[in-house]
Amino acid sequence: MRGYTEFRPIGIKTDYPHVDLMQKLVTARVVYEERVLMTVIIDVGKNTVQKEGSLAGGKTQMTNVCSCVMMNKKQGVI
């Protein structure tokens, strides 16, 4: 079986409106068509994640957010 995969942007964006380096808290929002679908609050110090909202396939997007934050933690940014 042969085929191909086409990757196209679907308009889901992630922003980080709040990063508190002292308390080691990061807030990320997943936005689609100007609407916040999910807010993720990551406490890097306690290694906990709090999620509000959801989206189809949200586990992948949330994994991306957490990976980005943990990468910054490893680099000493947070």
Side-chain angles (χ1 to χ4, degrees):
M1 185 184 209
R2 298 186 97 136
Y4 68 94
T5 302
E6 186 174 324
F7 294 94
R8 286 192 254 176
I10 58 174
I12 293 178
K13 298 176 184 172
T14 306
D15 69 350
Y16 299 87
H18 182 78
V19 177
D20 186 334
L21 298 177
M22 299 300 276
Q23 293 186 13
K24 298 190 179 215
L25 293 173
V26 178
T27 301
R29 296 183 304 191
V30 178
V31 181
Y32 179 69
E33 293 183 348
E34 306 300 319
R35 195 176 104 220
V36 176
L37 300 176
M38 183 168 55
T39 301
V40 181
I41 301 168
I42 302 166
D43 187 327
V44 178
K46 294 179 183 175
N47 202 27
T48 61
V49 177
Q50 177 185 355
K51 179 186 75 132
E52 297 173 9
S54 66
L55 51 112
K59 186 173 183 177
T60 300
Q61 189 67 28
M62 191 163 153
T63 300
N64 292 342
V65 168
C66 291
S67 295
C68 183
V69 170
M70 296 315 286
M71 179 183 66
N72 283 319
K73 179 182 178 183
K74 287 180 183 176
Q75 294 178 351
V77 176
I78 301 173

